[in-house]
Amino acid sequence: MVETRGRLTIVGLGPGDPDWITPAARRALDEASDVVGYGPYVARIPDRPGLTKHASDNRVELDRSRHALTLAAQGRRVAVVSGGDPGVFAMAAAIFEAVEAGDPAWRALDIRVEPGISAMLAAAARLGAPLGGDFCALSLSDNLKPWDVVERRLRLALEADFAVCLYNPISKARPWQLGRAFEIVREVRAPEHLVALARAVGRPDEGLAIRSVAQVRAEEADMATLVIIGASTTRLIPRPGDARPWMLTPRSYGAGA
Amino acid sequence: MVETRGRLTIVGLGPGDPDWITPAARRALDEASDVVGYGPYVARIPDRPGLTKHASDNRVELDRSRHALTLAAQGRRVAVVSGGDPGVFAMAAAIFEAVEAGDPAWRALDIRVEPGISAMLAAAARLGAPLGGDFCALSLSDNLKPWDVVERRLRLALEADFAVCLYNPISKARPWQLGRAFEIVREVRAPEHLVALARAVGRPDEGLAIRSVAQVRAEEADMATLVIIGASTTRLIPRPGDARPWMLTPRSYGAGA
């Protein structure tokens, strides 16, 4: 008989700075018998006696999920590690998709999600308050949804004047999508409106750039970049010397401003 | 001459569970000479020698911001505390609005934002993976933007088939807005589509409810509730016994599903 007393916790490691890992997430890692995840995330977890690490390649989320669930069903205490927050374009959806399609016994498992600091919140924190009004999070990846859905969502979000966070903006396998997205941005927003590129926030190779809609180029982004397209109300607060300006989307809008 | 060597950090306390406060946020609190914020958030910070606490009422964010900036300009180390993440409908925008409109010397201050677990990420974690696809965060408050902007944004977000997180859904001063929002949801989504009500996640009075679009009533929400309107693809994973089902918005969409 399959043992269903195991536990599986999907743990948000945040964007990279260990000081952004919550005590609750840290405890889930400390209590785990097995850590499962994409190689670079698993590599962040220190070795210790009694802990088995299972690193896998990127883009095998469902295989990885089934493996983690199988371990939990054997009675192991499994931590599935995820960058940022597990619920935002990360492992939580993959795990529950695997549960839905998999062994019915998995539905009796104790499965929890430990939230983390998402990339968009970390990027916004570094920039000032670019998400101070209403905003969206949109993945530019067309691996799992048709590109016309991405374009339609982006266009409607811009028309609604949300600030828009673009996840998965560009990769070797998806080289043109961000350039196309910027074309749409240039159709809807004014040339002087703002776009921020926040790369690897919280890691040693962190980089931040603020551009106008007219200036911004897709080549400035890479896989580790979170792109924030400002709302029409988003603006800069200049600072003395060579300090980077703060980026602000005020809370007020329109007639109430 | 005004001293501009002070520091102001806008600190995200997360939704309420102290184990969701990051070590970086904790350090900013430990190093502060002054804590400034809305009463209930300030009350979460333990007293200690050398720490002055400044609690203020809700809806006085700009007065509170100017006070915090004045203290920092006097050379104090100020922590402005915010529930959830400071960048999401919280104190970061208020502080930078006060900087923009205030004493030019404030622009030379060392102002930082320490991100926190936002209410939507905590609610999503409890529910499963309801934000596994693209999503928006929209405040229903019409204190600072006209209600027609709120309605237009909600309608466009629903038409784009985002999952939609509604912040500030209802209060004594804003009693009808959530009911009106649900009317719009019923126009765009099907009756069987899903809505989650996540109340006070991470606090002792936490409560979670999952309803259909046809069922949901505004009276079930209060000021401490985060409402998540599912996408058309959002569904439940039933579980054995009386376990609450998991709520999943899969990563796949449309022709790619």
Side-chain angles (χ1 to χ4, degrees):
Chain A
M1 191 191 132
V2 176
E3 168 64 77
T4 55
R5 300 263 159 199
R7 174 184 285 194
L8 190 156
T9 307
I10 313 156
V11 179
L13 298 182
D17 183 335
D19 281 347
W20 279 342
I21 300 179
T22 70
R26 183 70 69 188
R27 193 170 54 241
L29 297 172
D30 289 345
E31 292 174 354
S33 60
D34 298 77
V35 170
V36 174
Y38 174 45
Y41 301 137
V42 171
R44 288 194 207 163
I45 312 303
D47 290 313
R48 61 174 161 77
L51 180 69
T52 307
K53 291 157 99 177
H54 311 260
S56 48
D57 202 358
N58 207 353
R59 298 187 58 178
V60 293
E61 289 92 348
L62 278 181
D63 287 344
R64 185 190 299 148
S65 297
R66 284 186 285 261
H67 180 215
L69 287 158
T70 302
L71 289 168
Q74 289 165 354
R76 312 282 297 173
R77 290 188 312 282
V78 182
V80 175
V81 290
S82 199
D85 178 80
V88 178
F89 308 117
M91 283 303 297
I95 289 284
F96 288 107
E97 288 167 27
V99 169
E100 189 182 48
D103 185 342
W106 290 348
R107 300 183 184 210
L109 289 170
D110 179 357
I111 303 179
R112 301 180 190 198
V113 180
E114 265 308 332
I117 303 294
S118 62
M120 63 184 173
L121 300 187
R126 283 287 200 267
L127 291 161
L131 306 180
D134 303 319
F135 64 94
C136 297
L138 174 61
S139 170
L140 280 196
S141 171
D142 52 356
N143 292 334
L144 294 163
K145 64 188 168 192
W147 178 251
D148 63 350
V149 171
V150 179
E151 280 206 11
R152 183 163 181 277
R153 284 188 181 164
L154 175 60
R155 202 177 281 279
L156 288 166
L158 293 168
E159 283 172 12
D161 210 359
F162 285 100
V164 183
C165 301
L166 298 179
Y167 277 76
N168 305 316
I170 198 163
S171 72
K172 276 184 194 166
R174 296 181 295 96
W176 56 265
Q177 285 81 346
L178 181 60
R180 176 68 193 130
F182 283 156
E183 286 177 18
I184 294 168
V185 171
R186 280 188 265 270
E187 288 173 32
V188 183
R189 291 277 194 273
E192 70 276 16
H193 287 159
L194 297 169
V195 177
L197 305 165
R199 192 184 176 286
V201 169
R203 300 203 292 276
D205 50 340
E206 174 173 322
L208 297 167
I210 298 172
R211 300 283 181 261
S212 70
V213 162
Q215 285 173 324
V216 71
R217 293 292 171 265
E219 296 70 39
E220 297 187 85
D222 68 9
M223 271 181 67
T225 305
L226 190 281
V227 178
I228 300 180
I229 302 163
S232 70
T233 52
T234 304
R235 55 208 187 208
L236 296 179
I237 305 174
R239 300 181 63 203
D242 57 359
R244 196 180 53 246
W246 288 308
M247 192 172 179
L248 167 66
T249 304
R251 302 164 301 159
S252 301
Y253 191 89
Chain B
M1 193 190 131
V2 176
E3 168 62 78
T4 54
R5 300 263 158 195
R7 173 184 286 194
L8 190 156
T9 306
I10 313 156
V11 179
L13 298 181
D17 183 334
D19 282 346
W20 279 341
I21 301 180
T22 69
R26 184 70 70 190
R27 193 171 52 241
L29 297 171
D30 289 345
E31 292 173 355
S33 61
D34 297 78
V35 169
V36 175
Y38 175 45
Y41 300 137
V42 171
R44 287 194 207 162
I45 313 303
D47 290 312
R48 61 173 162 78
L51 180 69
T52 307
K53 291 158 99 177
H54 311 259
S56 48
D57 203 357
N58 207 351
R59 298 186 58 177
V60 293
E61 289 92 348
L62 277 181
D63 287 344
R64 186 190 299 148
S65 296
R66 284 187 284 261
H67 180 214
L69 287 158
T70 301
L71 289 168
Q74 288 165 357
R76 312 281 297 173
R77 289 188 312 282
V78 182
V80 175
V81 291
S82 197
D85 178 81
V88 178
F89 308 118
M91 283 304 295
I95 290 285
F96 288 107
E97 288 167 28
V99 169
E100 189 182 48
D103 186 340
W106 289 350
R107 299 181 184 210
L109 287 169
D110 179 358
I111 303 179
R112 301 178 191 202
V113 180
E114 266 307 332
I117 303 295
S118 62
M120 64 183 172
L121 300 187
R126 283 286 200 268
L127 291 161
L131 306 180
D134 303 317
F135 64 95
C136 298
L138 173 62
S139 170
L140 281 195
S141 170
D142 53 356
N143 291 335
L144 294 164
K145 64 188 167 193
W147 178 252
D148 63 350
V149 171
V150 179
E151 281 207 10
R152 182 161 183 277
R153 284 189 181 164
L154 176 60
R155 201 176 282 277
L156 289 167
L158 293 168
E159 283 172 12
D161 210 0
F162 284 100
V164 183
C165 301
L166 299 180
Y167 276 76
N168 304 315
I170 198 163
S171 72
K172 275 185 193 165
R174 295 181 294 99
W176 56 265
Q177 286 81 345
L178 181 60
R180 176 66 193 132
F182 284 156
E183 286 177 17
I184 294 168
V185 171
R186 279 188 266 272
E187 287 173 33
V188 183
R189 291 277 194 271
E192 70 276 15
H193 287 160
L194 298 169
V195 178
L197 305 164
R199 190 183 179 287
V201 170
R203 301 203 290 274
D205 50 341
E206 173 173 322
L208 297 168
I210 298 172
R211 300 283 182 261
S212 70
V213 162
Q215 287 173 324
V216 71
R217 293 291 170 264
E219 296 70 38
E220 297 186 85
D222 67 10
M223 271 182 67
T225 304
L226 181 92
V227 178
I228 300 180
I229 302 163
S232 69
T233 52
T234 304
R235 54 209 189 208
L236 296 178
I237 304 174
R239 301 182 61 203
D242 57 359
R244 193 179 57 244
W246 288 307
M247 191 171 180
L248 167 65
T249 305
R251 301 164 300 159
S252 300
Y253 191 88

